[in-house]
Amino acid sequence: MTDEKADHKTIHQWMDAYTNALEKKEIAVASALFDDNSGWRDILAFSWTIQTFEGPGAIEKLLTDRLAQVNPRGWTVDAEPDATEGGLSFETDLGPCKGYIRLNKGKALTFFTTLEDLHGHEQPIGKRRPSGLFDDDKTQSWLDRREAEQAVLGHQDQPFVLVVGGGQGGLALGARLKVNGVPALIVDRHKRSGDEWRSRYKSLTLHDPVWYDHMPYIPFPENWPVFTPKDQLGDFLEAYAQIMDLNIWNETEFTGGSFDADTQRWTVTVVRNGETIALHPVHIVMAVGNAGFPAQPDFPGAADFTGDQYHSSAFTSGEQFTGKNVVVIGANNSAHDICSDLVNHGIKPTMIQRSSTLVLRGSTNSKMARPLYSEEAVEQGLTTEKADYLNASVPLRMSEQHQKQIWNQIAISDADFYKSLTDAGFQIDFGVDGTGLFMKYLRTASGYYIDVGGAAMVADGRIAIKSGVAVERLTSKGLILSDGSHLDADAIIYATGFGSMEQWVERLISKDVAEKIGPCWGYGSGVEGDSGPWEGEIRNMWKPTKQTGLWFHGGNLQQSRFYSHYLALQLKARFKNIDADIYQPN
Amino acid sequence: MTDEKADHKTIHQWMDAYTNALEKKEIAVASALFDDNSGWRDILAFSWTIQTFEGPGAIEKLLTDRLAQVNPRGWTVDAEPDATEGGLSFETDLGPCKGYIRLNKGKALTFFTTLEDLHGHEQPIGKRRPSGLFDDDKTQSWLDRREAEQAVLGHQDQPFVLVVGGGQGGLALGARLKVNGVPALIVDRHKRSGDEWRSRYKSLTLHDPVWYDHMPYIPFPENWPVFTPKDQLGDFLEAYAQIMDLNIWNETEFTGGSFDADTQRWTVTVVRNGETIALHPVHIVMAVGNAGFPAQPDFPGAADFTGDQYHSSAFTSGEQFTGKNVVVIGANNSAHDICSDLVNHGIKPTMIQRSSTLVLRGSTNSKMARPLYSEEAVEQGLTTEKADYLNASVPLRMSEQHQKQIWNQIAISDADFYKSLTDAGFQIDFGVDGTGLFMKYLRTASGYYIDVGGAAMVADGRIAIKSGVAVERLTSKGLILSDGSHLDADAIIYATGFGSMEQWVERLISKDVAEKIGPCWGYGSGVEGDSGPWEGEIRNMWKPTKQTGLWFHGGNLQQSRFYSHYLALQLKARFKNIDADIYQPN
């Protein structure tokens, strides 16, 4: 049944034709089963990295280059008999794999493949979990082993992986590495796990709903609020680290690192409790967030301003501003949260919007997430793991098209909401090409506000808006704007965002390495802040970079959860000395 | 269709006949649908306490006395069309209910009913979870509210419920009360949550497998060992308290309490950090375990013994006994664990078995648990909640019969194992009536060992056994036994168990109250240590006692998990001033 002209209407028929062609090594036949607009997204299974292959040509090349080496086999389909989309499972020489496929008129439109574990080194979970009894060493208890390990780790024993940053990203990856048996150490500059969240402004909550935010292995309990308050998240993360039994050095600053090509190890210096310690990990994972350092414009006259001025990352609460004129520069998430908090403390702040903002109603955000991440989805058996898988199965090119349609609908359904903002003088955008919030997030991770109450305050004037103006300079008493107006201010808060991730590399490692690696985050969409060429995947994230032994992990809680699995798998393979080479098509 | 002679072969047919009879108030017809040997176990739904009604007569009386008042309605059956057992749901005036029923030849053999929540006061979980935003008080964050609550609790604000003991029982109940919005304070004498476990002997692990042991709301992660080491459990419990955001006063000793019939409140004194504080809760829950104080025999000559002697609860590790003669008195769980640990440290201990012991192979224990609590059960969709429900649905009288059959089979299947022990001089029993481990546990919570390695050491002589002997007296150098022999000893460890739960009441409240309440634990099976009359339910546990405002919670992790739900529901009803009266058939 390798007739490429056959009408493969169902997943089962299509997979018969496809696997038949693969078995016979008829690569042209297999490739012709893909739609002209198709995308094959692969996480490790075929490419041993994260790549998307667009169209039958690229797919034919992939199969030509990799089929023999990858040796996929044992394909089974998990779908109703007449389904045109559904799940796959198969295996390769490396390990068990999964997949997901969507057909369009008998051809594959999206094809998603992932490596899920390594043969012979499977995660010891479920049926493979340890016994807990004194099996190996009859005199060492769990506590003895743990204390012995911690006593030598970073000294006589070097961690295979050093994770820099113990926020949700570092902890999620740490947990994955722990379960996979890869010796790792997390270093974090805060006193307690969770302090990164605790130290933010008082009114902060997650802007995504709880179903989207679970950590790996330990989901939030069912009484957990929809939008997690920041201190509660901090406490959860601290308890998470304890339950998952992670090795963390708190109050430890990473001060520098260099890679030795001879030993294939890093020399890293950290300062812990005042002591400088040299560490020699084989791999470093930067899990310091998907942003760099606080970005604060340096306005002329800033030194003359007699009031307080600081970056949003230093804001805690509106309490201390009673009776004051507060100006917030910026109009994205932080700016809105800070202004809302000021309003709740009886202050009328002024928000200076320098360029347009994408605003999304919280309820619309939850509605968009609902098919995959909601109580209804859970009730219908869509586990977090399944939701993540479906979510990842669409190539970025198609996500852009799909998101555009969604945002066209939002513009109509939420027209009154947007009118209330534009009537107040607020400038709205849906991204330069109308692809909306999610693509903005993946491109530059900035330029939006998911409304949790601030929009109504903008609309009814509790937050004053100055829009479409730049700040010319500061005076002792306030700001002079580009429209010539003067704005009195007792305090100025810069909600002006953060730099890019690669800033961390330059500061912590070197400018050379930062340049070698190139931009982190973004996918080459070509918009401002995410210049091309088109990559089709988030750059340098969760996959090998051009610097041996240097990796990046970050993003929101959903991304941390999902990609930490595949990043841990790559590190486990290296720890187990499993030979696999990374596909470089060009 | 109220013809009581009809053949109600399926659950659906039976329930049609039953609900029809209830609707028409034909109680004799409804009662005649029950088998002569039937048992109806009710948790709160019909009796507003925990009771079992045995046989059609008792059931007819229950319905006569309670049907109008309880007003059950909206019965639906969750079972295949031809099933003879399955789940029910219905509601009463109080709230939503569930049930489970098993037929025998068209009549109900087991009937189980439970109240699951209270109308208008449903647990805020799942779709009812809070938003997490600053909905109510615009200026108070989660942390502000939490700190404000903790500052006044136990001082200006009195807890509605005082939970005495912060082990797994107190924490599970605390979590249920927290989620249900019942103001509660847990007092515990240890420094950190989990210390009760951490302070036990080094080699201790749970003897039940992980699937049986989950806490409510936060299950153990899927990498958790089958048998949890005690320090790891301690860490989990501490993290659990943090995630569930419980109010706990650690290092706090409960020193006395008395109930004021006029105010219907307790006056309790606790000592916290050296300060004596008076608390005035409406309810006290004793969650101090299902045992009392260390029980240590007072042998003649004990003062003459020149070596160390202490109770098993003070044993930590075999490390300090190198080269010593150690005698362990007792032959149950602790005695075996301690002897195993001594063997693992190169010592050959002598175990003095004063009376026979029930021993169960760990693998057989796991096999017995497998249909309800195992990886296989989870894979087949049997959630922990469903497993607990099935587990609770069988009345004790039938459990005894069923367990007897199981233990007859174990005697055959594990004959070689038992022979290896009796060949070594060890005395085995399966309970006086052959009903085995679980009934022993429910009757007296003593007299058994679930093998996690000690039995092989007894069998091959690494642990020496002196069986069927009493200790006559101690000498300066050892023990004189009832067979006249002298046993040299450098150290004696009393693995002689603990007293009964009511000891706590006598010590912490008063002898009068202890006498009024009567025995706690046991179900009146009539065996030694669990004298009659037959109660058919565990005495005084998780339900109202004869002392207003005094409750008992305890048991293993499974019982803590399951019954904390129903105990919290009873306390919530009282907090919400919901009127319901407790059924007292006699």
Side-chain angles (χ1 to χ4, degrees):
Chain A
M1 292 292 289
T2 57
D3 175 7
E4 63 178 281
K5 294 195 177 64
D7 197 0
H8 310 297
K9 280 191 179 159
T10 72
I11 293 288
H12 295 275
Q13 290 165 343
W14 191 94
M15 280 300 297
D16 277 350
Y18 182 67
T19 55
N20 220 314
L22 291 191
E23 242 164 66
K24 296 184 177 164
K25 309 205 183 338
E26 296 175 343
I27 286 174
V29 175
S31 310
L33 289 164
F34 286 81
D35 189 283
D36 285 346
N37 294 313
S38 62
W40 176 347
R41 181 165 201 228
D42 182 62
I43 301 184
L44 309 181
F46 279 74
S47 64
W48 193 227
T49 181
I50 305 179
Q51 280 181 25
T52 293
F53 306 90
E54 298 183 320
I59 290 166
E60 183 166 0
K61 180 159 170 35
L62 170 70
L63 287 173
T64 304
D65 294 345
R66 302 287 282 193
L67 183 61
Q69 166 177 357
V70 170
N71 191 20
R73 54 196 183 264
W75 299 85
T76 61
V77 179
D78 178 19
E80 297 295 309
D82 58 350
T84 58
E85 69 171 87
L88 308 172
S89 64
F90 62 103
E91 62 174 304
T92 66
D93 281 357
L94 276 181
C97 297
K98 290 200 306 189
Y100 199 85
I101 182 169
R102 289 179 188 83
L103 299 188
N104 176 40
K105 296 179 185 159
K107 298 224 172 181
L109 187 62
T110 73
F111 195 63
F112 181 45
T113 48
T114 58
L115 179 73
E116 292 296 318
D117 213 333
L118 299 172
H119 287 315
H121 305 284
E122 288 83 359
Q123 276 194 88
I125 59 174
K127 285 183 179 167
R128 292 195 176 89
R129 66 178 81 220
S131 84
L133 302 178
F134 284 22
D135 285 340
D136 304 321
D137 180 333
K138 296 289 184 192
T139 59
Q140 280 221 314
S141 72
W142 175 86
L143 183 64
D144 291 336
R145 274 199 298 273
R146 183 167 172 263
E147 286 177 345
E149 178 185 320
Q150 290 181 337
V152 296
L153 185 68
H155 302 283
Q156 295 96 308
D157 264 23
Q158 288 302 316
F160 187 73
V161 180
L162 182 71
V163 180
V164 185
Q168 71 270 16
L171 295 179
L173 179 64
R176 301 277 194 194
L177 292 171
K178 176 85 188 183
V179 172
N180 278 289
V182 181
L185 175 63
I186 299 170
V187 290
D188 190 85
R189 64 193 171 87
H190 298 90
K191 190 168 178 186
R192 291 162 59 199
S193 293
D195 276 355
E196 174 68 27
W197 286 98
R198 292 189 189 97
S199 63
R200 300 294 306 280
Y201 54 88
K202 204 169 123 171
S203 63
L204 179 66
T205 69
L206 294 182
H207 289 212
D208 286 314
V210 60
W211 306 279
Y212 190 77
D213 299 327
H214 292 300
M215 291 287 285
Y217 305 114
I218 308 175
F220 295 116
E222 56 186 343
N223 69 317
W224 206 253
V226 178
F227 301 103
T228 307
K230 54 116 184 167
D231 294 288
Q232 197 173 10
L233 183 60
D235 279 6
F236 184 92
L237 293 177
E238 186 177 22
Y240 182 87
Q242 179 162 352
I243 294 176
M244 296 308 298
D245 187 22
L246 307 183
N247 292 313
I248 304 178
W249 284 3
N250 284 109
E251 296 185 273
T252 300
E253 197 87 38
F254 183 110
T255 53
S258 63
F259 187 72
D260 183 334
D262 290 340
T263 63
Q264 291 285 302
R265 279 189 179 264
W266 290 89
T267 292
V268 162
T269 51
V270 301
V271 178
R272 185 190 192 195
N273 301 327
E275 184 193 0
T276 300
I277 301 170
L279 295 171
H280 301 285
V282 181
H283 297 275
I284 294 176
V285 180
M286 303 295 268
V288 288
N290 59 350
F293 309 117
Q296 182 169 328
D298 187 17
F299 294 128
D304 301 333
F305 182 65
T306 54
D308 290 331
Q309 49 181 330
Y310 43 77
H311 189 263
S312 62
S313 54
F315 177 84
T316 54
S317 161
E319 275 161 339
Q320 71 248 50
F321 293 99
T322 310
K324 290 195 174 166
N325 261 334
V326 186
V327 171
V328 176
I329 300 175
N332 297 333
N333 269 335
S334 300
H336 278 86
D337 281 349
I338 290 168
C339 285
S340 302
D341 192 53
L342 290 166
V343 169
N344 289 333
H345 285 89
I347 296 144
K348 184 178 172 175
T350 301
M351 185 190 282
I352 298 186
Q353 184 184 34
R354 299 176 301 164
S355 58
S356 65
T357 304
L358 181 152
V359 180
L360 176 62
R361 294 171 83 165
S363 58
T364 304
N365 187 39
S366 295
K367 203 191 295 171
M368 286 167 74
R370 199 165 297 161
L372 290 178
Y373 300 101
S374 64
E375 208 61 50
E376 293 82 357
V378 171
E379 279 172 7
Q380 284 161 28
L382 201 60
T383 61
T384 307
E385 201 180 27
K386 286 182 191 169
D388 283 350
Y389 206 78
L390 290 175
N391 194 35
S393 67
V394 182
L396 281 174
R397 187 90 70 182
M398 283 174 218
S399 287
E400 287 190 342
Q401 294 158 9
H402 183 59
Q403 290 293 319
K404 213 168 194 167
Q405 291 167 12
I406 289 176
W407 283 83
N408 284 338
Q409 289 162 11
I410 291 174
I412 296 165
S413 64
D414 292 357
D416 289 350
F417 171 77
Y418 290 114
K419 184 167 184 302
S420 74
L421 291 174
T422 52
D423 283 353
F426 196 84
Q427 292 182 30
I428 295 290
D429 73 71
F430 288 172
V432 287
D433 52 357
T435 53
L437 173 74
F438 189 60
M439 305 326 289
K440 260 200 180 189
Y441 171 66
L442 294 182
R443 290 165 174 181
T444 61
S446 70
Y448 48 81
Y449 171 53
I450 303 177
D451 182 32
V452 286
M457 297 177 182
V458 169
D460 66 16
R462 281 174 289 169
I463 297 171
I465 286 292
K466 279 275 184 184
S467 189
V469 290
V471 176
E472 289 283 315
R473 60 185 175 86
L474 303 194
T475 67
S476 65
K477 297 273 175 220
L479 308 85
I480 294 180
L481 304 177
S482 54
D483 62 1
S485 63
H486 184 275
L487 205 55
D488 284 345
D490 301 312
I492 299 171
I493 298 166
Y494 296 91
T496 42
F498 296 83
S500 59
M501 289 182 79
E502 52 268 31
Q503 286 185 329
W504 285 103
V505 181
E506 191 173 331
R507 180 187 289 189
L508 297 179
I509 297 172
S510 72
K511 200 170 175 191
D512 283 354
V513 171
E515 277 170 6
K516 178 158 81 173
I517 287 172
C520 297
W521 205 258
Y523 57 90
S525 61
V527 308
E528 193 188 335
D530 180 30
S531 60
W534 174 265
E535 292 281 340
E537 290 290 343
I538 305 295
R539 288 181 288 216
N540 281 317
M541 297 302 297
W542 317 296
K543 62 182 174 184
T545 66
K546 285 185 178 143
Q547 171 61 57
T548 308
L550 184 62
W551 308 73
F552 294 87
H553 179 56
N556 61 29
L557 285 140
Q558 190 275 334
Q559 291 168 312
S560 278
R561 173 178 70 237
F562 182 74
Y563 289 105
S564 57
H565 169 53
Y566 300 103
L567 177 49
L569 203 52
Q570 294 173 77
L571 292 164
K572 177 165 70 167
R574 282 153 178 90
F575 180 63
K576 301 289 184 187
N577 287 311
I578 287 168
D579 212 19
D581 52 69
I582 296 158
Y583 182 44
Q584 290 168 308
N586 305 311
Chain B
M1 290 293 287
T2 57
D3 174 8
E4 63 179 279
K5 294 192 178 65
D7 197 0
H8 310 298
K9 281 189 179 160
T10 72
I11 292 288
H12 295 276
Q13 289 165 344
W14 191 94
M15 280 301 297
D16 277 350
Y18 182 68
T19 55
N20 220 315
L22 291 191
E23 241 165 65
K24 295 183 179 167
K25 309 206 181 338
E26 295 175 342
I27 286 173
V29 175
S31 310
L33 290 165
F34 286 81
D35 189 282
D36 285 346
N37 294 314
S38 61
W40 176 348
R41 179 163 204 231
D42 181 63
I43 301 184
L44 308 180
F46 279 74
S47 65
W48 194 227
T49 180
I50 304 179
Q51 279 181 28
T52 294
F53 306 90
E54 297 182 323
I59 289 166
E60 183 166 0
K61 182 161 168 33
L62 170 69
L63 287 173
T64 304
D65 294 346
R66 301 288 281 194
L67 183 61
Q69 168 177 357
V70 170
N71 190 20
R73 55 195 183 266
W75 300 85
T76 61
V77 179
D78 178 19
E80 296 296 308
D82 57 350
T84 59
E85 70 171 87
L88 309 172
S89 64
F90 62 103
E91 61 174 306
T92 66
D93 281 357
L94 276 180
C97 297
K98 290 200 306 187
Y100 198 85
I101 181 170
R102 289 179 188 80
L103 299 188
N104 176 39
K105 295 178 186 160
K107 297 223 173 183
L109 186 64
T110 72
F111 196 63
F112 181 45
T113 48
T114 58
L115 180 73
E116 291 298 318
D117 213 333
L118 299 172
H119 287 315
H121 305 283
E122 288 83 0
Q123 277 195 86
I125 60 175
K127 283 183 180 167
R128 291 195 177 89
R129 68 178 79 221
S131 84
L133 302 178
F134 284 22
D135 284 340
D136 304 323
D137 181 333
K138 297 288 184 192
T139 58
Q140 281 221 315
S141 72
W142 175 86
L143 183 63
D144 291 336
R145 274 197 299 272
R146 182 167 175 264
E147 287 177 344
E149 180 186 318
Q150 291 182 337
V152 296
L153 185 69
H155 302 284
Q156 295 97 306
D157 263 23
Q158 288 301 317
F160 186 73
V161 180
L162 182 71
V163 180
V164 185
Q168 70 270 16
L171 296 180
L173 179 63
R176 301 277 195 194
L177 292 171
K178 175 84 189 183
V179 172
N180 279 288
V182 181
L185 174 63
I186 299 169
V187 291
D188 191 87
R189 64 193 171 88
H190 298 90
K191 190 168 177 186
R192 289 163 60 199
S193 293
D195 275 355
E196 173 68 27
W197 286 98
R198 291 189 191 96
S199 63
R200 299 296 304 281
Y201 53 88
K202 202 169 123 171
S203 62
L204 180 64
T205 68
L206 294 182
H207 289 212
D208 287 314
V210 60
W211 305 279
Y212 190 76
D213 299 327
H214 292 298
M215 292 286 286
Y217 305 114
I218 308 176
F220 295 116
E222 58 185 343
N223 68 317
W224 207 252
V226 178
F227 301 104
T228 307
K230 54 118 183 165
D231 294 288
Q232 197 174 10
L233 183 60
D235 279 5
F236 184 92
L237 293 176
E238 186 177 23
Y240 182 86
Q242 179 163 355
I243 294 176
M244 296 308 298
D245 187 22
L246 307 183
N247 292 312
I248 306 177
W249 283 3
N250 283 109
E251 294 184 275
T252 299
E253 198 86 39
F254 182 109
T255 54
S258 64
F259 187 73
D260 182 333
D262 291 338
T263 63
Q264 292 285 301
R265 278 190 179 264
W266 291 88
T267 293
V268 162
T269 52
V270 300
V271 179
R272 185 190 192 195
N273 302 327
E275 184 192 1
T276 300
I277 300 172
L279 295 172
H280 302 284
V282 181
H283 297 274
I284 294 176
V285 180
M286 303 295 268
V288 288
N290 59 350
F293 309 117
Q296 183 169 328
D298 187 17
F299 295 128
D304 302 332
F305 182 65
T306 54
D308 289 330
Q309 50 181 329
Y310 43 78
H311 189 262
S312 62
S313 55
F315 177 83
T316 53
S317 161
E319 275 161 338
Q320 72 248 51
F321 294 100
T322 309
K324 291 196 174 165
N325 262 333
V326 185
V327 172
V328 176
I329 300 175
N332 297 332
N333 268 336
S334 299
H336 278 86
D337 280 348
I338 290 168
C339 284
S340 303
D341 192 54
L342 291 166
V343 169
N344 289 333
H345 285 89
I347 297 145
K348 183 178 172 174
T350 300
M351 185 190 282
I352 299 187
Q353 184 185 34
R354 300 175 303 164
S355 58
S356 65
T357 305
L358 180 153
V359 180
L360 176 62
R361 294 172 85 165
S363 57
T364 304
N365 187 37
S366 295
K367 203 191 294 172
M368 286 168 74
R370 200 166 295 161
L372 290 178
Y373 300 101
S374 64
E375 208 62 50
E376 293 81 356
V378 172
E379 278 171 6
Q380 283 160 29
L382 202 59
T383 62
T384 308
E385 200 180 29
K386 286 182 191 168
D388 283 350
Y389 206 77
L390 290 174
N391 194 36
S393 67
V394 182
L396 280 174
R397 188 90 70 181
M398 285 175 215
S399 287
E400 286 190 341
Q401 295 159 9
H402 182 59
Q403 290 293 319
K404 212 168 195 165
Q405 292 167 11
I406 290 177
W407 283 83
N408 285 338
Q409 290 162 11
I410 291 175
I412 297 165
S413 63
D414 291 356
D416 289 349
F417 171 77
Y418 290 113
K419 187 168 183 303
S420 73
L421 291 174
T422 51
D423 283 354
F426 196 85
Q427 292 182 29
I428 294 289
D429 74 71
F430 288 173
V432 287
D433 53 356
T435 53
L437 173 75
F438 189 59
M439 305 326 288
K440 261 201 180 190
Y441 171 66
L442 294 181
R443 289 164 174 181
T444 62
S446 69
Y448 48 81
Y449 171 52
I450 303 177
D451 181 31
V452 286
M457 296 177 182
V458 170
D460 67 16
R462 279 174 291 168
I463 298 171
I465 286 294
K466 279 275 185 185
S467 188
V469 290
V471 177
E472 290 281 315
R473 61 185 174 84
L474 303 195
T475 67
S476 66
K477 297 270 173 224
L479 308 85
I480 294 180
L481 303 177
S482 54
D483 62 3
S485 63
H486 186 275
L487 204 56
D488 285 343
D490 301 311
I492 300 171
I493 297 165
Y494 296 91
T496 43
F498 298 83
S500 59
M501 287 181 79
E502 51 268 31
Q503 285 184 332
W504 285 105
V505 182
E506 193 173 329
R507 181 187 289 188
L508 297 180
I509 296 171
S510 73
K511 200 171 175 191
D512 284 354
V513 171
E515 278 170 5
K516 178 158 81 173
I517 288 172
C520 296
W521 206 257
Y523 57 90
S525 61
V527 308
E528 193 188 337
D530 181 30
S531 60
W534 174 266
E535 292 281 342
E537 290 290 343
I538 305 296
R539 288 181 289 217
N540 282 317
M541 297 302 296
W542 316 297
K543 62 183 175 183
T545 67
K546 284 183 179 146
Q547 171 61 58
T548 308
L550 185 62
W551 307 74
F552 294 86
H553 179 57
N556 61 29
L557 284 140
Q558 190 275 335
Q559 292 169 312
S560 278
R561 173 179 69 236
F562 182 74
Y563 288 106
S564 58
H565 169 53
Y566 300 104
L567 177 49
L569 203 52
Q570 294 172 78
L571 292 164
K572 177 166 70 167
R574 283 153 177 87
F575 180 63
K576 300 289 184 187
N577 287 311
I578 288 168
D579 212 20
D581 52 70
I582 296 157
Y583 183 45
Q584 290 168 308
N586 305 311

